[in-house]
Amino acid sequence: MTEKLQEHLIEKCMQNDSRAQMQLYDLYCKAMFNTAYNFIKDDAIAQDVMQEAFIKAFKKIGTYTGEATFGAWLKRIVINQSLDWLKKKKLATVELNEEVVHMPSEENLEVDSDTSLAVIYKCIEELPQKCKNVVKLYLIEGYDHQEVAQILEISEVASRSQLSRGKSKLKELLIHANYES
């Protein structure tokens, strides 16, 4: 889809045009479902969360400024909706922890080339919830620490700390998983 066509669809959505909404939905639903599923891990609930996120996005489309791509703007809504669902279910407790941790520069997470993506995702799911959320947002979704901090309503220091802990624990889990296979 060209940028002009997308801008046209967004303008139509701002006018509450249901056909344009459906077109944007069709363009982004698969990617947004995957984003919701990364957090929820249940097809039906991820589908519901994604639908709610689209409803919220179409209601608030007038706030879209174009600073970020539409897909990035929408993804942030889906992530927030997913985290809200997790919080409501008390599966995610986001602690506003301002502890200062002196960490070495962020090391790369190197994974054995024989390790499958399924094993990596399984190990990520075994991380403590706070670490898991930061690892998913930073490593999988590609947000930086400032964005992670805003999304999770924590400090950047806490984001870095949780990422460091998450990567360390993930390395342990991956080593253990590789010995078992």
Side-chain angles (χ1 to χ4, degrees), residues 35 38-40 75-87 91-98 127-166:
T35 297
N38 273 337
F39 289 88
I40 306 297
K75 182 185 269 191
R76 178 160 283 177
I77 293 171
V78 172
I79 289 170
N80 286 336
Q81 197 74 20
S82 299
L83 293 172
D84 286 348
W85 183 86
L86 289 169
K87 286 177 192 175
L91 296 174
T93 54
V94 179
E95 187 177 294
L96 297 175
N97 185 353
E98 299 293 326
L127 294 173
Q129 192 66 49
K130 289 187 290 186
C131 293
K132 182 182 352 179
N133 287 340
V134 173
V135 165
K136 285 180 177 181
L137 289 169
Y138 189 87
L139 294 178
I140 297 174
E141 299 295 336
Y143 287 104
D144 63 29
H145 285 293
Q146 181 181 11
E147 294 167 322
V148 171
Q150 288 174 342
I151 291 168
L152 296 177
E153 298 175 350
I154 60 176
S155 70
E156 286 185 49
V157 170
S159 174
R160 291 179 193 281
S161 174
Q162 292 299 329
L163 179 64
S164 178
R165 287 186 191 125

Side-chain angles (χ1 to χ4, degrees), residues 36-54:
Y37 186 82
N38 273 337
F39 289 88
I40 306 297
K41 295 299 179 203
D42 179 287
D43 284 345
I45 295 171
Q47 185 74 27
D48 289 345
V49 166
M50 180 201 63
Q51 297 288 349
E52 290 297 319
F54 269 99

